Amino acid sequence: MHVILMGPPAAGKGTQSKFLEEKYGLMHFSTGDELRAEIASNSPLGQKVQAVMNAGQLVSDDIILDIIKDRLSRPEYKNGIIFDGVIRTIPQAEGLETILHDRRQEICAAFDLNVDEAILIDRVESRVKETLARGETPRKDDNLDVLKRRIREYKDFSKIVSPYYDDKGLLTVIDGTQSIESVSQKIDNVLKKCL
Ligand code: AMP
């Protein structure tokens, strides 16, 4: 069972991914995290993508599709993948579909968690305050400039990718300001149909 998860930063994708991992044994997969790990390890791929990522541009579709293909072939991903912010262009969406088709698999559902920008800013500010109160260092991306840039990036790709999955009848838009349990319940109701 493969799931597409979209939503701006701090919309609750991490929390809902944990729910999906525990309930359905899916594996969380984020190309942003993968690419940052490649840069941190100074791998050939990391060296290749570093400049593009630092400039805030999109990494090429071929690179993204190669990473996806690799993950799909790994045994630990066999129950299915939560594609978190992985699909950002139409060629990526089409490429994923072809790769899955060749493996006789498919996307079961796509979710877009909707949260107003002012609420996202509030959430990140509270998260930073709580972290500081615990005497810990806030996440590097938990600052307003980074947050606003990442919200802009999300808007750019979601206005392309959401309609793609909507046209295929796979999209559910969920109000991410509801309680964690309500959001999980809505996701669960859709996924039950995929079992
Ligand atoms: P993120 O932290 O998920 O927003 O990703 C950080 C950066 O990684 C983005 O600004 C892009 O440069 C790159 N990236 C991550 N996922 C993709 C993707 N699916 N397509 C193209 N570039 C990506």
Side-chain angles (χ1 to χ4, degrees), residues 127-128 131-140 142:
R127 196 151 78 185
V128 170
T131 310
L132 291 172
R134 287 198 303 273
E136 295 167 8
T137 313
R139 276 165 51 163
K140 227 164 106 193
D142 272 352

Side-chain angles (χ1 to χ4, degrees), residues 144-191:
L144 282 192
D145 286 343
V146 175
L147 178 69
K148 285 183 181 160
R149 176 174 58 75
R150 298 187 73 217
I151 293 173
R152 243 188 347 262
E153 283 175 7
Y154 155 73
K155 282 185 180 158
D156 284 347
F157 78 77
S158 92
K159 70 174 177 249
I160 296 170
V161 177
S162 284
Y164 177 89
Y165 289 109
D166 198 17
D167 284 349
K168 296 196 174 280
L170 292 173
L171 182 73
T172 304
V173 178
I174 299 180
D175 173 6
T177 61
Q178 302 169 98
S179 69
I180 292 173
E181 293 72 24
S182 306
V183 175
S184 299
Q185 185 68 59
K186 295 220 160 68
I187 293 178
D188 206 28
N189 284 344
V190 174
L191 293 190

Side-chain angles (χ1 to χ4, degrees), residues 3-194:
V3 175
I4 303 282
L5 191 56
M6 288 176 279
K13 286 176 296 163
T15 308
Q16 296 305 329
S17 291
K18 279 202 192 83
F19 163 73
L20 291 172
E21 284 174 341
E22 279 161 23
K23 174 135 194 194
Y24 293 100
L26 304 183
M27 285 284 276
H28 177 255
F29 171 54
S30 141
T31 31
D33 290 349
E34 295 283 330
L35 293 167
R36 273 185 290 277
E38 295 286 343
I39 292 175
S41 69
N42 203 25
S43 69
L45 175 59
Q47 289 170 14
K48 204 164 156 184
V49 298
Q50 188 162 26
V52 175
M53 282 180 70
N54 286 346
Q57 289 163 358
L58 288 180
V59 169
S60 79
D61 294 331
D62 287 347
I63 290 179
I64 299 298
L65 290 170
D66 279 348
I67 303 178
I68 292 176
K69 225 185 246 170
D70 173 76
R71 293 307 177 278
L72 278 163
S73 67
R74 294 188 185 184
E76 65 267 33
Y77 288 78
K78 71 173 185 334
N79 284 343
I81 297 181
I82 306 155
F83 290 94
D84 172 359
V86 172
I87 301 301
R88 304 193 186 195
T89 67
I90 298 300
Q92 289 175 11
E94 289 173 346
L96 173 61
E97 216 170 287
T98 307
I99 295 168
L100 289 176
H101 183 259
D102 291 346
R103 301 177 64 86
R104 292 183 170 50
Q105 297 175 353
E106 58 187 8
I107 297 293
C108 133
F111 299 98
D112 199 350
L113 299 186
N114 229 330
V115 180
D116 194 67
E117 187 161 340
I119 296 175
L120 295 172
I121 291 172
D122 264 6
R123 282 187 182 178
V124 169
E125 282 178 338
S126 323
R127 196 151 78 185
V128 170
K129 275 190 204 138
E130 284 163 17
T131 310
L132 291 172
R134 287 198 303 273
E136 295 167 8
T137 313
R139 276 165 51 163
K140 227 164 106 193
D141 53 357
D142 272 352
N143 76 63
L144 282 192
D145 286 343
V146 175
L147 178 69
K148 285 183 181 160
R149 176 174 58 75
R150 298 187 73 217
I151 293 173
R152 243 188 347 262
E153 283 175 7
Y154 155 73
K155 282 185 180 158
D156 284 347
F157 78 77
S158 92
K159 70 174 177 249
I160 296 170
V161 177
S162 284
Y164 177 89
Y165 289 109
D166 198 17
D167 284 349
K168 296 196 174 280
L170 292 173
L171 182 73
T172 304
V173 178
I174 299 180
D175 173 6
T177 61
Q178 302 169 98
S179 69
I180 292 173
E181 293 72 24
S182 306
V183 175
S184 299
Q185 185 68 59
K186 295 220 160 68
I187 293 178
D188 206 28
N189 284 344
V190 174
L191 293 190
K192 272 184 201 140
K193 296 174 200 144
C194 306

